[in-house]
Amino acid sequence: MIWRIPRQSYRRPALLPTRLPSFVRGLSSSLISNLNVASILALPPLSDDQTPRTIVVTGHVRTIRNQKRHSFVEIGDGSTILSLQALLDPAQAVSLGTGTAVTISGSWRRSPPGKEQSHELHAEDVTIVGATDPESYPIQKKYHSAEYLRTIPHLRLRTPFHALLARLRSDCEFYASAFFRANQYIRLQPPVITSSDCEGAGEVFTLRPKEGTRAVLSGSSAGTDEFFRDPKYLTVSSQLHLEAFVHEHQKVWALSPTFRAERSDTPRHLSEFYMLEAELRTRSIDSVMDLVEDLIRDVAVKVQSSDVGKELLAVKHTLEADSGTKMSSRTEVMIRRWSGLKRKIWPRITYTEAIKLLEAAANDPQTVFHYMPNWQSGLQLEHEKFIAAEVGQGSPVFVTDYPKSVKPFYMLPSDVKTVPMDDDRPTVACFDLLLPEACEVVGGSLREHRLKPLLRAMQEQRLLPMAGTEDQASGLESSGQSPKPSDLDWYVDLRRYGSVPHGGFGLGFDRLLGYLAGVDNVRDVAPWPRYYGKCDC
């Protein structure tokens, strides 16, 4: 996997920013400072009779070409995949090397005919801000594989493509925030330290003080040094806390870090990632899916029309199989994905319908599944890919009403008016959104807002002790009380005191960014990837 920025892309005017900063437009002064490289390259061209502007630029040296009379230095600062070319005397470039941080001032002049950039900076003063040993600097003037760059995450941030991914992340967060604000959602900051495992899968990181730091509190378990009296964890989801907010604010959302102690060594999994989550008052699972669809489509449309989107299309990347066979260009992949996200109708099928499709496909000799589809077992990755390809035909697909047995305790049973119910195969009002090639990116549901059914569901999944006798079980339901204190007592209180019907979803933000950017390994999307066996800095 190799990222390439083709030299011919430097001549493409479409890569230049479509808008200059407001303080640059209409600029009349001959001295221009405090501009990034992208803004300098977007300056209006000089006419033959105009006095060259004086430019001051700060950035890192990407490459140096030394000739007898001149040295050509390319400067980048993360604001664009393009470099600003500076023309130096060889004596000015003696102490410069790839990775050196410099400030260069000089005159901004038209380049001679036939040059790749229309203008170049004729240096008058060169100041080394931060020196670099060019021999040991890990990022040289050559192609670096994604695997190698993952070993130096603190330095790969300086590469043009990873700087572009950082700007994509920033833009998408802004687009999402603008979308929710336009729809009157309140943005909140849920806690990172929690007392419970929201998903109930047990894949949590337990929080403890550093060894040697004693924090014995009155009321803590005998012989333990629990800082908070009881074990606490890094959050696996902000959903439960957002549900507390939705009882007052009606529509809320958050974008916050999430942690999963999954021992998964796949391109789709991280131990720390960002989750975009929202909750709203509703009785309809369709309204939750509509929200997801509108949000993702809105973000995709804005990315495609943005400067970042144009640069993503200009960066050449070839997805190569282990054999080295070229499969398809990343540009073609992105255009296909963006077009699918912009479609007005995203198919919606039930889980039961999906299983029937899979079972029919399994009987076809041309389709090979490593895991045979089974209604009780849930969907495997290969099943999701098949459904996304066959049903979506390029667009995302919602799969709804999964078996109750494969989903968390907090989900509301499916609506019998829309989904036929089978006492032997109960389902819940939920959905997963499958994106072509990337598969599951969003999961959502209606939440069980009734107290007694919630308590029963918690007991069934052993989050509360099972009542010992039938009389005890009857007494629990009639009283609406937990049999003994639980880490989720506060969550039960939300149903005990003025509960309202509501639903919501969680969107894997890093997975969505990778899908938009045509990057299939989420470890190359997260700036500081943490995954099983890896957390270097």
Side-chain angles (χ1 to χ4, degrees):
M1 185 183 297
I2 299 175
W3 307 110
R4 295 185 176 90
I5 302 178
R7 295 189 62 82
Q8 63 265 28
S9 69
Y10 286 75
R11 296 194 295 269
R12 297 181 182 179
L15 289 184
L16 299 180
T18 56
R19 294 193 63 190
L20 288 168
S22 59
F23 64 90
V24 179
R25 296 194 294 271
L27 194 65
S28 58
S29 171
S30 60
L31 172 63
I32 300 176
S33 60
N34 299 322
L35 286 187
N36 59 29
V37 169
S39 298
I40 293 174
L41 293 178
L43 288 171
L46 294 169
S47 62
D48 294 334
D49 57 350
Q50 275 187 293
T51 302
R53 300 185 179 99
T54 299
I55 296 289
V56 180
V57 63
T58 297
H60 284 88
V61 175
R62 288 183 178 172
T63 64
I64 299 178
R65 283 187 297 118
N66 291 311
Q67 297 183 356
K68 185 174 182 179
R69 298 177 56 190
H70 300 289
S71 292
F72 297 89
V73 180
E74 293 187 354
I75 306 297
D77 65 357
S79 62
T80 173
I81 60 172
L82 303 182
S83 299
L84 182 149
Q85 181 168 283
L87 187 64
L88 280 65
D89 289 333
Q92 293 175 307
V94 168
S95 300
L96 302 185
T98 301
T100 303
V102 295
T103 295
I104 301 178
S105 61
S107 57
W108 187 242
R109 299 174 180 268
R110 292 175 65 93
S111 300
K115 296 294 182 180
E116 292 178 347
Q117 287 191 358
S118 63
H119 292 69
E120 57 190 10
L121 179 60
H122 290 237
E124 298 171 3
D125 181 74
V126 179
T127 302
I128 295 179
V129 178
T132 298
D133 177 8
E135 298 298 323
S136 63
Y137 186 56
I139 302 176
Q140 296 293 324
K141 185 186 176 182
K142 63 179 182 180
Y143 300 138
H144 294 295
S145 69
E147 289 78 7
Y148 169 72
L149 291 175
R150 285 183 214 127
T151 67
I152 49 171
H154 56 298
L155 294 176
R156 75 171 182 175
L157 302 174
R158 301 184 189 182
T159 63
F161 187 74
H162 282 277
L164 177 59
L165 288 180
R167 286 185 283 123
L168 173 67
R169 180 180 292 270
S170 176
D171 284 1
C172 287
E173 182 173 343
F174 173 77
Y175 299 147
S177 181
F179 171 87
F180 280 116
R181 186 169 184 83
N183 287 278
Q184 298 182 320
Y185 278 73
I186 304 296
R187 185 173 186 177
L188 301 165
Q189 287 75 42
V192 170
I193 300 174
T194 72
S195 61
S196 57
D197 174 6
C198 171
E199 298 296 323
E203 297 167 336
V204 295
F205 288 101
T206 302
L207 195 66
R208 298 232 190 277
K210 184 178 179 181
E211 186 176 353
T213 303
R214 294 190 60 83
V216 180
L217 299 178
S218 60
S220 61
S221 301
T224 64
D225 290 347
E226 297 295 350
F227 187 89
F228 295 107
R229 291 192 175 90
D230 299 304
K232 303 303 173 188
Y233 316 99
L234 295 180
T235 182
V236 298
S237 172
S238 298
Q239 175 203 317
L240 303 189
H241 293 92
L242 289 182
E243 287 190 60
F245 280 114
V246 82
H247 284 78
E248 178 65 20
H249 295 291
Q250 300 189 36
K251 296 191 290 186
V252 298
W253 78 287
L255 178 60
S256 53
T258 302
F259 307 87
R260 302 281 173 91
E262 292 181 273
R263 301 189 178 220
S264 299
D265 187 21
T266 75
R268 302 173 62 247
H269 290 90
L270 291 170
S271 297
E272 177 187 4
F273 55 95
Y274 271 75
M275 185 81 80
L276 190 158
E277 298 176 84
E279 293 288 323
L280 66 153
R281 295 189 188 182
T282 181
R283 293 181 180 272
S284 167
I285 192 65
D286 286 318
S287 63
V288 183
M289 290 189 285
D290 291 343
L291 176 63
V292 171
E293 188 172 331
D294 292 343
L295 167 66
I296 295 178
R297 184 184 294 112
D298 184 76
V299 170
V301 168
K302 289 177 179 176
V303 166
Q304 187 170 9
S305 62
S306 70
D307 294 328
V308 167
K310 295 172 184 175
E311 291 192 29
L312 282 169
L313 293 177
V315 179
K316 297 296 183 183
H317 170 55
T318 300
L319 301 173
E320 298 178 349
D322 293 338
S323 63
T325 303
K326 294 182 179 180
M327 298 167 65
S328 60
S329 75
R330 193 182 58 84
T331 300
E332 294 171 353
V333 170
M334 288 196 313
I335 292 175
R336 182 173 67 248
R337 290 178 176 181
W338 293 356
S339 297
L341 294 176
K342 290 167 60 178
R343 292 185 184 177
K344 292 185 178 181
I345 298 177
W346 295 3
R348 301 178 182 184
I349 65 171
T350 67
Y351 173 88
T352 300
E353 292 169 338
I355 290 294
K356 290 179 180 178
L357 289 174
L358 292 168
E359 290 174 340
N363 294 324
D364 185 343
Q366 295 183 343
T367 303
V368 178
F369 291 132
H370 290 92
Y371 300 92
M372 292 302 293
N374 181 286
W375 195 91
Q376 299 287 354
S377 302
L379 300 179
Q380 301 293 328
L381 178 60
E382 61 182 344
H383 302 153
E384 293 179 345
K385 288 184 176 181
F386 179 87
I387 294 168
E390 294 298 315
V391 178
Q393 296 292 317
S395 78
V397 179
F398 287 101
V399 180
T400 68
D401 301 283
Y402 280 69
K404 179 181 179 181
S405 59
V406 301
K407 289 297 182 179
F409 71 96
Y410 50 73
M411 295 187 178
L412 190 72
S414 298
D415 186 352
V416 295
K417 296 179 181 178
T418 57
V419 180
M421 293 298 293
D422 184 338
D423 291 339
D424 296 328
R425 300 200 300 182
T427 61
V428 286
C430 67
F431 66 85
D432 282 352
L433 178 65
L434 310 182
L435 299 185
E437 302 160 12
C439 295
E440 191 262 325
V441 173
V442 186
S445 74
L446 295 181
R447 318 308 189 189
E448 178 56 84
H449 59 280
R450 301 164 300 173
L451 176 59
K452 295 175 184 178
L454 177 66
L455 290 173
R456 286 198 298 271
M458 293 173 70
Q459 282 190 306
E460 290 170 1
Q461 299 201 18
R462 300 186 183 279
L463 296 173
L464 289 176
M466 293 294 292
T469 67
E470 195 171 315
D471 290 339
Q472 288 176 322
S474 176
L476 171 63
E477 292 184 18
S478 62
S479 66
Q481 298 295 318
S482 303
K484 71 175 187 178
S486 163
D487 291 336
L488 289 169
D489 274 352
W490 68 272
Y491 184 71
V492 175
D493 275 350
L494 301 179
R495 275 62 177 172
R496 186 174 288 127
Y497 305 117
S499 181
V500 296
H502 60 284
F505 68 87
L507 181 156
F509 198 61
D510 300 275
R511 286 187 183 180
L512 178 62
L513 295 179
Y515 189 77
L516 292 171
V519 179
D520 293 331
N521 196 320
V522 73
R523 298 172 184 177
D524 299 323
V525 178
W528 306 95
R530 280 84 166 88
Y531 48 94
Y532 181 58
K534 202 74 172 177
C535 181
D536 291 336
C537 45

